[in-house]
PDB file of all heavy atoms in Angstrom:
ATOM      1  N   ASN R   1       8.521 -17.367  -8.018  1.00  0.00           N
ATOM      2  CA  ASN R   1       8.456 -17.383  -9.476  1.00  0.00           C
ATOM      3  C   ASN R   1       9.529 -18.338  -9.973  1.00  0.00           C
ATOM      4  O   ASN R   1      10.546 -18.522  -9.302  1.00  0.00           O
ATOM      5  CB  ASN R   1       8.696 -15.964 -10.020  1.00  0.00           C
ATOM      6  CG  ASN R   1       8.583 -15.899 -11.521  1.00  0.00           C
ATOM      7  OD1 ASN R   1       9.542 -16.219 -12.230  1.00  0.00           O
ATOM      8  ND2 ASN R   1       7.425 -15.500 -12.007  1.00  0.00           N
ATOM      9  N   LYS R   2       9.327 -18.889 -11.149  1.00  0.00           N
ATOM     10  CA  LYS R   2      10.308 -19.833 -11.696  1.00  0.00           C
ATOM     11  C   LYS R   2      11.677 -19.180 -11.904  1.00  0.00           C
ATOM     12  O   LYS R   2      12.702 -19.855 -11.883  1.00  0.00           O
ATOM     13  CB  LYS R   2       9.804 -20.453 -12.994  1.00  0.00           C
ATOM     14  CG  LYS R   2       9.646 -19.474 -14.139  1.00  0.00           C
ATOM     15  CD  LYS R   2       9.184 -20.176 -15.410  1.00  0.00           C
ATOM     16  CE  LYS R   2       8.974 -19.221 -16.539  1.00  0.00           C
ATOM     17  NZ  LYS R   2      10.120 -18.476 -16.970  1.00  0.00           N
ATOM     18  N   ASP R   3      11.718 -17.859 -12.064  1.00  0.00           N
ATOM     19  CA  ASP R   3      12.991 -17.152 -12.233  1.00  0.00           C
ATOM     20  C   ASP R   3      13.663 -16.826 -10.900  1.00  0.00           C
ATOM     21  O   ASP R   3      14.749 -16.250 -10.882  1.00  0.00           O
ATOM     22  CB  ASP R   3      12.789 -15.862 -13.036  1.00  0.00           C
ATOM     23  CG  ASP R   3      12.382 -16.139 -14.478  1.00  0.00           C
ATOM     24  OD1 ASP R   3      12.767 -17.206 -15.002  1.00  0.00           O
ATOM     25  OD2 ASP R   3      11.695 -15.301 -15.062  1.00  0.00           O
ATOM     26  N   GLY R   4      12.998 -17.146  -9.810  1.00  0.00           N
ATOM     27  CA  GLY R   4      13.581 -16.944  -8.478  1.00  0.00           C
ATOM     28  C   GLY R   4      13.945 -15.496  -8.209  1.00  0.00           C
ATOM     29  O   GLY R   4      13.182 -14.579  -8.515  1.00  0.00           O
ATOM     30  N   ILE R   5      15.128 -15.283  -7.662  1.00  0.00           N
ATOM     31  CA  ILE R   5      15.564 -13.940  -7.269  1.00  0.00           C
ATOM     32  C   ILE R   5      15.761 -13.040  -8.490  1.00  0.00           C
ATOM     33  O   ILE R   5      15.794 -11.821  -8.368  1.00  0.00           O
ATOM     34  CB  ILE R   5      16.826 -14.008  -6.383  1.00  0.00           C
ATOM     35  CG1 ILE R   5      16.996 -12.715  -5.576  1.00  0.00           C
ATOM     36  CG2 ILE R   5      18.069 -14.319  -7.208  1.00  0.00           C
ATOM     37  CD1 ILE R   5      15.917 -12.466  -4.569  1.00  0.00           C
ATOM     38  N   ASN R   6      15.848 -13.632  -9.696  1.00  0.00           N
ATOM     39  CA  ASN R   6      16.006 -12.835 -10.915  1.00  0.00           C
ATOM     40  C   ASN R   6      14.683 -12.322 -11.470  1.00  0.00           C
ATOM     41  O   ASN R   6      14.677 -11.554 -12.426  1.00  0.00           O
ATOM     42  CB  ASN R   6      16.737 -13.657 -11.985  1.00  0.00           C
ATOM     43  CG  ASN R   6      18.149 -13.956 -11.561  1.00  0.00           C
ATOM     44  OD1 ASN R   6      18.835 -13.114 -10.995  1.00  0.00           O
ATOM     45  ND2 ASN R   6      18.583 -15.178 -11.808  1.00  0.00           N
ATOM     46  N   TYR R   7      13.558 -12.741 -10.898  1.00  0.00           N
ATOM     47  CA  TYR R   7      12.258 -12.235 -11.334  1.00  0.00           C
ATOM     48  C   TYR R   7      12.242 -10.721 -11.129  1.00  0.00           C
ATOM     49  O   TYR R   7      12.826 -10.196 -10.174  1.00  0.00           O
ATOM     50  CB  TYR R   7      11.144 -12.922 -10.544  1.00  0.00           C
ATOM     51  CG  TYR R   7       9.756 -12.619 -11.023  1.00  0.00           C
ATOM     52  CD1 TYR R   7       9.390 -12.862 -12.342  1.00  0.00           C
ATOM     53  CD2 TYR R   7       8.805 -12.104 -10.165  1.00  0.00           C
ATOM     54  CE1 TYR R   7       8.103 -12.591 -12.788  1.00  0.00           C
ATOM     55  CE2 TYR R   7       7.516 -11.840 -10.600  1.00  0.00           C
ATOM     56  CZ  TYR R   7       7.174 -12.082 -11.909  1.00  0.00           C
ATOM     57  OH  TYR R   7       5.904 -11.811 -12.356  1.00  0.00           O
ATOM     58  N   TYR R   8      11.567  -9.975 -12.004  1.00  0.00           N
ATOM     59  CA  TYR R   8      11.694  -8.519 -12.021  1.00  0.00           C
ATOM     60  C   TYR R   8      11.352  -7.850 -10.688  1.00  0.00           C
ATOM     61  O   TYR R   8      11.998  -6.866 -10.309  1.00  0.00           O
ATOM     62  CB  TYR R   8      10.897  -7.905 -13.180  1.00  0.00           C
ATOM     63  CG  TYR R   8       9.433  -7.690 -12.914  1.00  0.00           C
ATOM     64  CD1 TYR R   8       8.953  -6.431 -12.547  1.00  0.00           C
ATOM     65  CD2 TYR R   8       8.510  -8.739 -13.037  1.00  0.00           C
ATOM     66  CE1 TYR R   8       7.597  -6.235 -12.309  1.00  0.00           C
ATOM     67  CE2 TYR R   8       7.171  -8.537 -12.801  1.00  0.00           C
ATOM     68  CZ  TYR R   8       6.718  -7.289 -12.437  1.00  0.00           C
ATOM     69  OH  TYR R   8       5.383  -7.090 -12.194  1.00  0.00           O
ATOM     70  N   THR R   9      10.352  -8.346  -9.969  1.00  0.00           N
ATOM     71  CA  THR R   9      10.022  -7.706  -8.691  1.00  0.00           C
ATOM     72  C   THR R   9      11.124  -7.949  -7.671  1.00  0.00           C
ATOM     73  O   THR R   9      11.507  -7.043  -6.925  1.00  0.00           O
ATOM     74  CB  THR R   9       8.680  -8.215  -8.140  1.00  0.00           C
ATOM     75  OG1 THR R   9       8.723  -9.643  -8.039  1.00  0.00           O
ATOM     76  CG2 THR R   9       7.517  -7.782  -9.006  1.00  0.00           C
ATOM     77  N   ASN R  10      11.644  -9.160  -7.646  1.00  0.00           N
ATOM     78  CA  ASN R  10      12.745  -9.475  -6.727  1.00  0.00           C
ATOM     79  C   ASN R  10      14.010  -8.709  -7.105  1.00  0.00           C
ATOM     80  O   ASN R  10      14.725  -8.197  -6.234  1.00  0.00           O
ATOM     81  CB  ASN R  10      13.016 -10.976  -6.721  1.00  0.00           C
ATOM     82  CG  ASN R  10      11.824 -11.767  -6.236  1.00  0.00           C
ATOM     83  OD1 ASN R  10      11.043 -11.298  -5.406  1.00  0.00           O
ATOM     84  ND2 ASN R  10      11.650 -12.968  -6.769  1.00  0.00           N
ATOM     85  N   SER R  11      14.283  -8.619  -8.406  1.00  0.00           N
ATOM     86  CA  SER R  11      15.444  -7.856  -8.869  1.00  0.00           C
ATOM     87  C   SER R  11      15.342  -6.384  -8.475  1.00  0.00           C
ATOM     88  O   SER R  11      16.340  -5.743  -8.141  1.00  0.00           O
ATOM     89  CB  SER R  11      15.590  -7.951 -10.390  1.00  0.00           C
ATOM     90  OG  SER R  11      15.917  -9.245 -10.774  1.00  0.00           O
ATOM     91  N   ALA R  12      14.123  -5.857  -8.513  1.00  0.00           N
ATOM     92  CA  ALA R  12      13.916  -4.455  -8.131  1.00  0.00           C
ATOM     93  C   ALA R  12      14.203  -4.254  -6.639  1.00  0.00           C
ATOM     94  O   ALA R  12      14.748  -3.223  -6.231  1.00  0.00           O
ATOM     95  CB  ALA R  12      12.502  -4.017  -8.475  1.00  0.00           C
ATOM     96  N   LEU R  13      13.830  -5.240  -5.816  1.00  0.00           N
ATOM     97  CA  LEU R  13      14.158  -5.150  -4.386  1.00  0.00           C
ATOM     98  C   LEU R  13      15.666  -5.260  -4.174  1.00  0.00           C
ATOM     99  O   LEU R  13      16.240  -4.544  -3.339  1.00  0.00           O
ATOM    100  CB  LEU R  13      13.424  -6.223  -3.594  1.00  0.00           C
ATOM    101  CG  LEU R  13      11.906  -6.073  -3.490  1.00  0.00           C
ATOM    102  CD1 LEU R  13      11.310  -7.246  -2.709  1.00  0.00           C
ATOM    103  CD2 LEU R  13      11.515  -4.752  -2.846  1.00  0.00           C
ATOM    104  N   ILE R  14      16.316  -6.144  -4.910  1.00  0.00           N
ATOM    105  CA  ILE R  14      17.780  -6.271  -4.832  1.00  0.00           C
ATOM    106  C   ILE R  14      18.427  -4.943  -5.229  1.00  0.00           C
ATOM    107  O   ILE R  14      19.377  -4.485  -4.598  1.00  0.00           O
ATOM    108  CB  ILE R  14      18.302  -7.414  -5.737  1.00  0.00           C
ATOM    109  CG1 ILE R  14      17.810  -8.765  -5.241  1.00  0.00           C
ATOM    110  CG2 ILE R  14      19.818  -7.375  -5.861  1.00  0.00           C
ATOM    111  CD1 ILE R  14      18.462  -9.264  -3.982  1.00  0.00           C
ATOM    112  N   TYR R  15      17.897  -4.311  -6.272  1.00  0.00           N
ATOM    113  CA  TYR R  15      18.411  -3.016  -6.719  1.00  0.00           C
ATOM    114  C   TYR R  15      18.334  -1.994  -5.575  1.00  0.00           C
ATOM    115  O   TYR R  15      19.290  -1.259  -5.328  1.00  0.00           O
ATOM    116  CB  TYR R  15      17.624  -2.530  -7.943  1.00  0.00           C
ATOM    117  CG  TYR R  15      18.159  -1.266  -8.546  1.00  0.00           C
ATOM    118  CD1 TYR R  15      19.134  -1.316  -9.530  1.00  0.00           C
ATOM    119  CD2 TYR R  15      17.688  -0.026  -8.146  1.00  0.00           C
ATOM    120  CE1 TYR R  15      19.633  -0.150 -10.099  1.00  0.00           C
ATOM    121  CE2 TYR R  15      18.176   1.142  -8.700  1.00  0.00           C
ATOM    122  CZ  TYR R  15      19.156   1.076  -9.677  1.00  0.00           C
ATOM    123  OH  TYR R  15      19.653   2.229 -10.230  1.00  0.00           O
ATOM    124  N   CYS R  16      17.200  -1.968  -4.883  1.00  0.00           N
ATOM    125  CA  CYS R  16      17.051  -1.042  -3.752  1.00  0.00           C
ATOM    126  C   CYS R  16      18.050  -1.377  -2.645  1.00  0.00           C
ATOM    127  O   CYS R  16      18.673  -0.484  -2.065  1.00  0.00           O
ATOM    128  CB  CYS R  16      15.629  -1.104  -3.191  1.00  0.00           C
ATOM    129  SG  CYS R  16      14.395  -0.368  -4.274  1.00  0.00           S
ATOM    130  N   SER R  17      18.218  -2.641  -2.367  1.00  0.00           N
ATOM    131  CA  SER R  17      19.144  -3.075  -1.327  1.00  0.00           C
ATOM    132  C   SER R  17      20.578  -2.683  -1.677  1.00  0.00           C
ATOM    133  O   SER R  17      21.298  -2.110  -0.861  1.00  0.00           O
ATOM    134  CB  SER R  17      19.037  -4.596  -1.139  1.00  0.00           C
ATOM    135  OG  SER R  17      19.973  -5.070  -0.208  1.00  0.00           O
ATOM    136  N   THR R  18      20.981  -2.958  -2.892  1.00  0.00           N
ATOM    137  CA  THR R  18      22.346  -2.687  -3.341  1.00  0.00           C
ATOM    138  C   THR R  18      22.643  -1.193  -3.409  1.00  0.00           C
ATOM    139  O   THR R  18      23.748  -0.755  -3.103  1.00  0.00           O
ATOM    140  CB  THR R  18      22.569  -3.324  -4.732  1.00  0.00           C
ATOM    141  OG1 THR R  18      22.285  -4.722  -4.644  1.00  0.00           O
ATOM    142  CG2 THR R  18      23.983  -3.123  -5.216  1.00  0.00           C
ATOM    143  N   ASN R  19      21.649  -0.413  -3.820  1.00  0.00           N
ATOM    144  CA  ASN R  19      21.850   1.025  -4.033  1.00  0.00           C
ATOM    145  C   ASN R  19      21.351   1.895  -2.892  1.00  0.00           C
ATOM    146  O   ASN R  19      21.258   3.116  -3.044  1.00  0.00           O
ATOM    147  CB  ASN R  19      21.191   1.431  -5.350  1.00  0.00           C
ATOM    148  CG  ASN R  19      21.895   0.817  -6.532  1.00  0.00           C
ATOM    149  OD1 ASN R  19      22.985   1.224  -6.888  1.00  0.00           O
ATOM    150  ND2 ASN R  19      21.283  -0.202  -7.123  1.00  0.00           N
ATOM    151  N   LEU R  20      21.015   1.285  -1.763  1.00  0.00           N
ATOM    152  CA  LEU R  20      20.552   2.018  -0.573  1.00  0.00           C
ATOM    153  C   LEU R  20      19.364   2.931  -0.874  1.00  0.00           C
ATOM    154  O   LEU R  20      19.327   4.100  -0.481  1.00  0.00           O
ATOM    155  CB  LEU R  20      21.688   2.825   0.054  1.00  0.00           C
ATOM    156  CG  LEU R  20      22.900   2.028   0.530  1.00  0.00           C
ATOM    157  CD1 LEU R  20      24.001   2.973   1.007  1.00  0.00           C
ATOM    158  CD2 LEU R  20      22.511   1.071   1.642  1.00  0.00           C
ATOM    159  N   ILE R  21      18.386   2.384  -1.594  1.00  0.00           N
ATOM    160  CA  ILE R  21      17.181   3.143  -1.928  1.00  0.00           C
ATOM    161  C   ILE R  21      16.073   2.703  -0.975  1.00  0.00           C
ATOM    162  O   ILE R  21      15.719   1.525  -0.940  1.00  0.00           O
ATOM    163  CB  ILE R  21      16.759   2.903  -3.388  1.00  0.00           C
ATOM    164  CG1 ILE R  21      17.855   3.412  -4.336  1.00  0.00           C
ATOM    165  CG2 ILE R  21      15.431   3.595  -3.683  1.00  0.00           C
ATOM    166  CD1 ILE R  21      17.619   3.073  -5.794  1.00  0.00           C
ATOM    167  N   PRO R  22      15.511   3.627  -0.208  1.00  0.00           N
ATOM    168  CA  PRO R  22      14.422   3.278   0.717  1.00  0.00           C
ATOM    169  C   PRO R  22      13.187   2.798  -0.038  1.00  0.00           C
ATOM    170  O   PRO R  22      12.992   3.116  -1.221  1.00  0.00           O
ATOM    171  CB  PRO R  22      14.121   4.588   1.452  1.00  0.00           C
ATOM    172  CG  PRO R  22      15.287   5.454   1.200  1.00  0.00           C
ATOM    173  CD  PRO R  22      15.873   5.032  -0.110  1.00  0.00           C
ATOM    174  N   ILE R  23      12.356   2.059   0.668  1.00  0.00           N
ATOM    175  CA  ILE R  23      11.133   1.521   0.089  1.00  0.00           C
ATOM    176  C   ILE R  23       9.982   1.739   1.068  1.00  0.00           C
ATOM    177  O   ILE R  23      10.186   1.671   2.284  1.00  0.00           O
ATOM    178  CB  ILE R  23      11.308   0.030  -0.268  1.00  0.00           C
ATOM    179  CG1 ILE R  23      10.107  -0.483  -1.058  1.00  0.00           C
ATOM    180  CG2 ILE R  23      11.609  -0.805   0.939  1.00  0.00           C
ATOM    181  CD1 ILE R  23      10.373  -1.787  -1.756  1.00  0.00           C
ATOM    182  N   GLY R  24       8.790   2.013   0.543  1.00  0.00           N
ATOM    183  CA  GLY R  24       7.614   2.188   1.388  1.00  0.00           C
ATOM    184  C   GLY R  24       6.974   0.848   1.715  1.00  0.00           C
ATOM    185  O   GLY R  24       7.036  -0.086   0.916  1.00  0.00           O
ATOM    186  N   VAL R  25       6.365   0.774   2.892  1.00  0.00           N
ATOM    187  CA  VAL R  25       5.689  -0.453   3.315  1.00  0.00           C
ATOM    188  C   VAL R  25       4.308  -0.112   3.865  1.00  0.00           C
ATOM    189  O   VAL R  25       4.174   0.783   4.705  1.00  0.00           O
ATOM    190  CB  VAL R  25       6.505  -1.211   4.388  1.00  0.00           C
ATOM    191  CG1 VAL R  25       5.758  -2.439   4.881  1.00  0.00           C
ATOM    192  CG2 VAL R  25       7.875  -1.609   3.844  1.00  0.00           C
ATOM    193  N   ILE R  26       3.283  -0.829   3.344  1.00  0.00           N
ATOM    194  CA  ILE R  26       1.926  -0.710   3.870  1.00  0.00           C
ATOM    195  C   ILE R  26       1.359  -2.111   4.080  1.00  0.00           C
ATOM    196  O   ILE R  26       1.711  -3.042   3.351  1.00  0.00           O
ATOM    197  CB  ILE R  26       0.994   0.132   2.966  1.00  0.00           C
ATOM    198  CG1 ILE R  26       0.718  -0.563   1.631  1.00  0.00           C
ATOM    199  CG2 ILE R  26       1.550   1.515   2.735  1.00  0.00           C
ATOM    200  CD1 ILE R  26      -0.316   0.158   0.776  1.00  0.00           C
ATOM    201  N   THR R  27       0.508  -2.234   5.083  1.00  0.00           N
ATOM    202  CA  THR R  27      -0.172  -3.506   5.335  1.00  0.00           C
ATOM    203  C   THR R  27      -1.660  -3.245   5.495  1.00  0.00           C
ATOM    204  O   THR R  27      -2.067  -2.265   6.122  1.00  0.00           O
ATOM    205  CB  THR R  27       0.371  -4.228   6.585  1.00  0.00           C
ATOM    206  OG1 THR R  27       0.249  -3.376   7.717  1.00  0.00           O
ATOM    207  CG2 THR R  27       1.817  -4.636   6.404  1.00  0.00           C
ATOM    208  N   GLN R  28      -2.449  -4.133   4.937  1.00  0.00           N
ATOM    209  CA  GLN R  28      -3.899  -4.011   5.060  1.00  0.00           C
ATOM    210  C   GLN R  28      -4.309  -4.413   6.476  1.00  0.00           C
ATOM    211  O   GLN R  28      -3.868  -5.439   6.986  1.00  0.00           O
ATOM    212  CB  GLN R  28      -4.589  -4.901   4.042  1.00  0.00           C
ATOM    213  CG  GLN R  28      -6.083  -4.707   3.981  1.00  0.00           C
ATOM    214  CD  GLN R  28      -6.726  -5.581   2.920  1.00  0.00           C
ATOM    215  OE1 GLN R  28      -6.261  -6.662   2.620  1.00  0.00           O
ATOM    216  NE2 GLN R  28      -7.812  -5.070   2.351  1.00  0.00           N
ATOM    217  N   THR R  29      -5.154  -3.601   7.105  1.00  0.00           N
ATOM    218  CA  THR R  29      -5.620  -3.887   8.464  1.00  0.00           C
ATOM    219  C   THR R  29      -7.062  -4.373   8.494  1.00  0.00           C
ATOM    220  O   THR R  29      -7.443  -5.109   9.391  1.00  0.00           O
ATOM    221  CB  THR R  29      -5.483  -2.642   9.366  1.00  0.00           C
ATOM    222  OG1 THR R  29      -6.184  -1.558   8.761  1.00  0.00           O
ATOM    223  CG2 THR R  29      -4.010  -2.274   9.554  1.00  0.00           C
ATOM    224  N   HIS R  30      -7.865  -3.950   7.535  1.00  0.00           N
ATOM    225  CA  HIS R  30      -9.261  -4.385   7.423  1.00  0.00           C
ATOM    226  C   HIS R  30      -9.599  -4.495   5.945  1.00  0.00           C
ATOM    227  O   HIS R  30      -9.210  -3.641   5.158  1.00  0.00           O
ATOM    228  CB  HIS R  30     -10.224  -3.375   8.067  1.00  0.00           C
ATOM    229  CG  HIS R  30     -10.049  -3.242   9.525  1.00  0.00           C
ATOM    230  ND1 HIS R  30      -9.226  -2.284  10.089  1.00  0.00           N
ATOM    231  CD2 HIS R  30     -10.567  -3.954  10.551  1.00  0.00           C
ATOM    232  CE1 HIS R  30      -9.262  -2.409  11.397  1.00  0.00           C
ATOM    233  NE2 HIS R  30     -10.062  -3.410  11.711  1.00  0.00           N
ATOM    234  N   ASN R  31     -10.362  -5.523   5.591  1.00  0.00           N
ATOM    235  CA  ASN R  31     -10.823  -5.567   4.209  1.00  0.00           C
ATOM    236  C   ASN R  31     -12.190  -4.892   4.126  1.00  0.00           C
ATOM    237  O   ASN R  31     -12.812  -4.601   5.144  1.00  0.00           O
ATOM    238  CB  ASN R  31     -10.823  -6.994   3.641  1.00  0.00           C
ATOM    239  CG  ASN R  31     -11.798  -7.902   4.354  1.00  0.00           C
ATOM    240  OD1 ASN R  31     -12.862  -7.478   4.791  1.00  0.00           O
ATOM    241  ND2 ASN R  31     -11.440  -9.170   4.467  1.00  0.00           N
ATOM    242  N   LYS R  32     -12.642  -4.652   2.927  1.00  0.00           N
ATOM    243  CA  LYS R  32     -13.874  -3.875   2.751  1.00  0.00           C
ATOM    244  C   LYS R  32     -15.095  -4.576   3.305  1.00  0.00           C
ATOM    245  O   LYS R  32     -16.078  -3.943   3.620  1.00  0.00           O
ATOM    246  CB  LYS R  32     -14.077  -3.500   1.293  1.00  0.00           C
ATOM    247  CG  LYS R  32     -14.281  -4.662   0.359  1.00  0.00           C
ATOM    248  CD  LYS R  32     -14.387  -4.158  -1.062  1.00  0.00           C
ATOM    249  CE  LYS R  32     -14.478  -5.311  -2.036  1.00  0.00           C
ATOM    250  NZ  LYS R  32     -14.536  -4.828  -3.399  1.00  0.00           N
ATOM    251  N   HIS R  33     -15.046  -5.878   3.475  1.00  0.00           N
ATOM    252  CA  HIS R  33     -16.200  -6.609   3.996  1.00  0.00           C
ATOM    253  C   HIS R  33     -16.301  -6.534   5.515  1.00  0.00           C
ATOM    254  O   HIS R  33     -17.350  -6.803   6.076  1.00  0.00           O
ATOM    255  CB  HIS R  33     -16.140  -8.070   3.543  1.00  0.00           C
ATOM    256  CG  HIS R  33     -16.057  -8.195   2.058  1.00  0.00           C
ATOM    257  ND1 HIS R  33     -17.054  -7.778   1.208  1.00  0.00           N
ATOM    258  CD2 HIS R  33     -15.061  -8.652   1.262  1.00  0.00           C
ATOM    259  CE1 HIS R  33     -16.687  -7.986  -0.043  1.00  0.00           C
ATOM    260  NE2 HIS R  33     -15.487  -8.513  -0.034  1.00  0.00           N
ATOM    261  N   SER R  34     -15.215  -6.146   6.186  1.00  0.00           N
ATOM    262  CA  SER R  34     -15.240  -6.090   7.648  1.00  0.00           C
ATOM    263  C   SER R  34     -15.276  -4.661   8.168  1.00  0.00           C
ATOM    264  O   SER R  34     -15.225  -4.432   9.365  1.00  0.00           O
ATOM    265  CB  SER R  34     -14.009  -6.802   8.223  1.00  0.00           C
ATOM    266  OG  SER R  34     -12.837  -6.097   7.879  1.00  0.00           O
ATOM    267  N   ASN R  35     -15.359  -3.708   7.269  1.00  0.00           N
ATOM    268  CA  ASN R  35     -15.270  -2.312   7.665  1.00  0.00           C
ATOM    269  C   ASN R  35     -16.622  -1.624   7.439  1.00  0.00           C
ATOM    270  O   ASN R  35     -17.185  -1.734   6.358  1.00  0.00           O
ATOM    271  CB  ASN R  35     -14.172  -1.633   6.837  1.00  0.00           C
ATOM    272  CG  ASN R  35     -13.810  -0.293   7.381  1.00  0.00           C
ATOM    273  OD1 ASN R  35     -14.676   0.559   7.517  1.00  0.00           O
ATOM    274  ND2 ASN R  35     -12.551  -0.100   7.674  1.00  0.00           N
ATOM    275  N   ILE R  36     -17.093  -0.907   8.427  1.00  0.00           N
ATOM    276  CA  ILE R  36     -18.394  -0.244   8.296  1.00  0.00           C
ATOM    277  C   ILE R  36     -18.400   0.842   7.222  1.00  0.00           C
ATOM    278  O   ILE R  36     -19.445   1.213   6.722  1.00  0.00           O
ATOM    279  CB  ILE R  36     -18.862   0.353   9.645  1.00  0.00           C
ATOM    280  CG1 ILE R  36     -17.858   1.383  10.142  1.00  0.00           C
ATOM    281  CG2 ILE R  36     -19.096  -0.728  10.648  1.00  0.00           C
ATOM    282  CD1 ILE R  36     -18.337   2.162  11.346  1.00  0.00           C
ATOM    283  N   ASN R  37     -17.225   1.329   6.841  1.00  0.00           N
ATOM    284  CA  ASN R  37     -17.143   2.355   5.809  1.00  0.00           C
ATOM    285  C   ASN R  37     -17.084   1.775   4.403  1.00  0.00           C
ATOM    286  O   ASN R  37     -16.983   2.502   3.444  1.00  0.00           O
ATOM    287  CB  ASN R  37     -15.914   3.239   6.037  1.00  0.00           C
ATOM    288  CG  ASN R  37     -16.080   4.084   7.263  1.00  0.00           C
ATOM    289  OD1 ASN R  37     -17.090   4.750   7.422  1.00  0.00           O
ATOM    290  ND2 ASN R  37     -15.099   4.048   8.147  1.00  0.00           N
TER     291      ASN R  37
END
């Protein structure tokens, strides 16, 4: 983003880093077009 590390999403991650707040992580493994369900 043009605001770099000061962009709100990046700032929120910095906030978690600075304040020792855990964060959840998920990754997509299949999209809906490749899944029989």
Side-chain angles (χ1 to χ4, degrees):
N1 183 278
K2 66 178 178 61
D3 293 331
I5 200 65
N6 294 320
Y7 188 56
Y8 83 99
T9 55
N10 298 329
S11 293
L13 292 178
I14 294 287
Y15 185 89
C16 289
S17 176
T18 303
N19 293 287
L20 300 175
I21 297 173
I23 188 164
V25 177
I26 67 174
T27 57
Q28 187 178 31
T29 56
H30 295 93
N31 64 34
K32 64 183 175 182
H33 304 296
S34 66
N35 193 303
I36 60 171
N37 291 309

